[in-house]
């Protein structure tokens, strides 16, 4: 091989060798991992539940209802009753908790949030109302879906503990 060909081959090889040592583009590191996406989803769902608690404690049922998907397929199960549709669920809350005394102060606790996929999750927890005459409490399980409006409850199954005797 002539000296000219060796120099030409070297000149062509240098950019390839240099390119191989350059780190991946910065944008590659900004793509969140599946664990980061999971953590983000859990944080967003916790924020929805926290916002519901805060709205309830302001006496704002409509604000509380922002946590639910505004859909006819939204389901709320309590006692032996299934309520279907966002508006129907809202009407139920407005009727059952018609004033601040009936609403009391709400506290959610023992939250466990389990993502099922990129756009669905289950949340399990406890609820407790503090009112002048009683302190009803119980458990809930919520199915969340990621919608165009963010994470929203599409199915709520809430049970109340038996009152003390």
């Amino acid at each position: 091989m002539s000296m000219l060909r060796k120099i030409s081959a070297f000149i062509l090889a240098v950019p390839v060798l240099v390119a191989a040592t350059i780190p991946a583009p910065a944008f590659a590191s900004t793509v969140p991992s599946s664990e980061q996406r999971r953590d983000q989803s859990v944080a967003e769902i916790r924020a929805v539940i926290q916002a519901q608690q805060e709205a309830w404690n302001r006496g704002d049922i409509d604000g509380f209802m922002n946590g639910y998907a505004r859909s006819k397929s939204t389901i709320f199960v309590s006692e032996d009753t299934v309520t279907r549709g966002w508006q129907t669920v809202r009407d139920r809350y407005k009727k059952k908790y018609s004033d601040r005394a009936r609403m009391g102060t709400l506290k959610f606790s023992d939250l466990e949030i389990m993502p099922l996929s990129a756009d669905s999750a289950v949340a399990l927890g406890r609820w407790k109302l503090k009112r002048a005459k009683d302190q009803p409490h119980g458990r809930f399980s919520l199915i969340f879906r990621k919608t165009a409006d963010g994470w929203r409850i599409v199915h709520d199954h809430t049970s109340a503990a038996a009152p003390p005797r």
Side-chain angles (χ1 to χ4, degrees):
M1 191 188 261
S2 76
M3 183 58 87
L4 186 57
R5 281 190 172 170
K6 287 180 182 177
I7 292 172
S8 296
F10 177 76
I11 290 172
L12 291 174
V14 167
V16 173
L17 294 172
V18 170
T21 64
I22 297 174
F27 70 85
S29 63
T30 63
V31 175
S33 69
S34 61
E35 187 175 324
Q36 289 169 323
R37 286 190 302 272
R38 179 191 178 286
D39 291 348
Q40 180 67 27
S41 295
V42 168
E44 290 172 5
I45 291 166
R46 281 186 185 281
V48 169
I49 294 170
Q50 180 66 34
Q52 283 190 297
Q53 179 178 292
E54 291 168 3
W56 187 274
N57 292 335
R58 288 191 311 269
D60 181 4
I61 288 177
D62 287 333
F64 177 83
M65 287 300 299
N66 284 336
Y68 289 88
R70 288 183 183 250
S71 168
K72 290 182 179 182
S73 63
T74 295
I75 295 173
F76 180 85
V77 180
S78 182
E79 299 168 1
D80 193 30
T81 303
V82 176
T83 305
R84 297 178 190 274
W86 183 89
Q87 185 63 50
T88 310
V89 172
R90 179 186 174 274
D91 294 346
R92 176 197 173 281
Y93 274 114
K94 288 272 193 178
K95 182 177 180 182
K96 187 169 182 172
Y97 301 100
S98 57
D99 59 46
R100 289 296 295 134
R102 286 191 175 126
M103 289 180 79
T105 301
L106 176 64
K107 172 88 171 128
F108 291 132
S109 63
D110 299 335
L111 285 177
E112 297 175 36
I113 300 170
M114 298 148 283
L116 302 174
S117 69
D119 68 348
S120 65
V122 173
L124 176 67
R126 293 179 181 271
W127 62 271
K128 184 174 188 175
L129 286 180
K130 285 189 177 183
R131 301 188 290 203
K133 296 181 181 179
D134 62 358
Q135 293 189 11
H137 62 281
R139 295 271 191 171
F140 61 85
S141 55
L142 309 170
I143 298 175
F144 277 85
R145 298 291 300 211
K146 189 158 192 177
T147 70
D149 296 324
W151 287 96
R152 296 294 183 263
I153 300 163
V154 296
H155 188 109
D156 177 342
H157 193 154
T158 296
S159 62
R165 295 177 191 227

